[in-house]
Amino acid sequence: MSAHHITAAPASTARTVGLVGTVLALGYFAVLMSSYLGGYWLINTQGQPIAGDFVNVWAAGRLALDGHAAGAYDWTLHKAAEVSAVGHGFDNYYGWHYPPFFLFAAAALAIMPYSAASLVWLIATLPGYLAAMRAIVGLRAGILLALGFPAALWNATAGQNGFLTASLIGGTLALMERHPLLAGCCLGLLTYKPHFGLLFPIVLIADKRWKVIAAASVVALALGALSLIVFGSETWLAFFEWMPTTSKLVLGQGAADWHRLQSIFGFVRAHGGGQALAWAAQGAVTLTLAAALVWLWRTRAAFELKAAALSAAALLATPYVYTYDLVALAIPVAYLVRIGLTRGFIALDVAGLIAASALLLAFPFVNTNVGLAATLVVVALIASRVWVSESAET
């Protein structure tokens, strides 16, 4: 083993990963319980449900159950449903930003009272995320790494869908080699947030993964057709009418705060850059990532390296990414840990992973795009691994 590698045995290192994950996960649980008891999570000090990110899901589902699915894209109707969900007025508006087929999940959740549904949502989406991490790293270490990943805490506090996004990206990659049709099903389901799948078709075509492409296409088309039948064409028309308005508000006017966008686009806007510069920077990064991935996936590099690169790049390629979405950053981290456990860690790995975790944990306390910085650190670690791999072959 070279001087650039940590000399700890894989079993010892796996135990260390598990121990760190356990400590962090217990810390997150303590934070959640403290927030709950203090009236900052789920229920306020008056015993009323708190209107958080999940309220937009429940409200959209309630409208769908009441036969007004297209109303999820009508801000007046949707806000009224949100107020009804929590039983009191509130200042913010949480928009419904998803294609109509995600209304199936929303409607299933809206059968329950809001507070119960918000917990069920987190509990129901967690196992898929844990399963993906287990498949990549291994049973105990993978699960504990997943639970201890910092973005998991922010996803739980927001009641968001980061666990689902991570499970679908991780499932696509973990299943790709042995079960390409199942991998394609995961990718097809990822179209509920299509901006995270921008680079997948490019890579899959370059690597001739036709079964994955076919399965993903069938699933996406089937979801679209089923939602068209159940919710009606007016819901899809409302969705397409709504998209430009939301894009203008979030990416044009910064309605959700530029510092909260964990993307190149958000970083440029947060630090004084204009819209044209932000789009140019985002476009340049996305095109560079696409070209680099095509090159990498055509080499003889280990699949773990390719999967790590694609899953990390997927988060950099979109202008629309928030801290709770960065639960999916656990997927490339898991592949890096898997490589380290089987082939030895590069000395930079540990420092980089600690830095990325610290950046994610600092999110509520630092008014800048720390999630983007964490993603860039992980990408740099992957790039260093690719460099070592290519140097070893030459």
Side-chain angles (χ1 to χ4, degrees):
M1 186 174 291
S2 75
H4 296 291
H5 288 75
I6 294 173
T7 57
S12 174
T13 308
R15 285 194 294 271
T16 301
V17 170
L19 177 61
V20 172
T22 300
V23 171
L24 289 173
L26 290 174
Y28 303 159
F29 182 76
V31 169
L32 290 174
M33 289 302 98
S34 176
S35 299
Y36 176 76
L37 295 174
Y40 299 106
W41 185 55
L42 298 180
I43 304 294
N44 63 24
T45 52
Q46 287 75 45
Q48 299 172 316
I50 294 174
D53 287 5
F54 177 75
V55 74
N56 81 83
V57 177
W58 194 96
R62 187 69 259 171
L63 287 166
L65 289 174
D66 292 341
H68 306 293
Y73 303 103
D74 182 312
W75 291 3
T76 303
L77 292 176
H78 190 240
K79 176 58 188 284
E82 291 181 339
V83 171
S84 176
V86 297
H88 59 86
F90 55 93
D91 293 333
N92 294 337
Y93 171 63
Y94 300 90
W96 174 251
H97 304 326
Y98 306 97
F101 57 77
F102 199 50
L103 286 168
F104 289 117
L109 291 163
I111 294 172
M112 296 171 276
Y114 169 72
S115 295
S118 61
L119 268 179
V120 168
W121 173 241
L122 291 174
I123 294 170
T125 54
L126 179 60
Y129 166 54
L130 298 181
M133 293 290 284
R134 171 189 172 182
I136 296 168
V137 180
L139 178 55
R140 188 169 180 272
I143 290 176
L144 294 175
L145 177 62
L147 292 173
F149 194 70
L153 173 61
W154 308 134
N155 181 70
T157 56
Q160 267 288 352
N161 45 46
F163 293 150
L164 178 59
T165 302
S167 68
L168 294 176
I169 291 176
T172 299
L173 294 167
L175 294 166
M176 189 176 292
E177 290 197 294
R178 295 187 178 181
H179 306 285
L181 295 180
L182 290 178
C185 290
C186 290
L187 186 58
L189 292 172
L190 185 62
T191 54
Y192 95 100
K193 278 196 165 183
H195 51 292
F196 288 121
L198 295 175
L199 297 176
F200 276 86
I202 297 171
V203 169
L204 293 174
I205 291 171
D207 203 40
K208 300 180 180 179
R209 303 271 181 168
W210 308 122
K211 289 183 179 179
V212 179
I213 294 172
S217 301
V218 169
V219 169
L221 290 172
L223 288 172
L226 188 59
S227 63
L228 184 65
I229 294 169
V230 174
F231 300 122
S233 59
E234 66 274 10
T235 306
W236 275 98
L237 292 173
F239 169 66
F240 286 117
E241 182 180 353
W242 156 88
M243 280 199 303
T245 302
T246 297
S247 178
K248 181 180 179 181
L249 283 172
V250 177
L251 299 178
Q253 300 174 13
D257 185 351
W258 298 124
H259 293 95
R260 293 173 64 85
L261 278 174
Q262 305 301 322
S263 63
I264 298 295
F265 181 94
F267 176 81
V268 173
R269 295 308 309 269
H271 293 82
Q275 187 171 356
L277 177 60
W279 278 118
Q282 183 67 60
V285 168
T286 302
L287 290 173
T288 301
L289 289 170
L293 285 171
V294 168
W295 168 79
L296 177 62
W297 277 69
R298 286 180 170 176
T299 69
R300 295 183 179 180
F303 179 81
E304 292 89 346
L305 264 182
K306 296 177 180 180
L310 177 53
S311 53
L315 299 172
L316 277 182
T318 173
Y320 192 80
V321 55
Y322 290 98
T323 305
Y324 55 78
D325 292 314
L326 295 182
V327 177
L329 189 61
I331 301 304
V333 167
Y335 275 110
L336 284 172
V337 170
R338 173 173 166 175
I339 292 169
L341 291 175
T342 56
R343 303 172 195 177
F345 285 87
I346 297 174
L348 194 61
D349 288 347
V350 175
L353 292 175
I354 291 173
S357 298
L359 286 165
L360 289 173
L361 283 174
F363 165 68
F365 313 106
V366 182
N367 193 30
T368 190
N369 315 78
V370 289
L372 170 64
T375 306
L376 290 171
V377 168
V378 173
V379 169
L381 293 177
I382 296 167
S384 71
R385 276 286 182 179
V386 172
W387 175 264
V388 169
S389 175
E390 287 297 303
S391 299
E393 289 188 6
T394 58

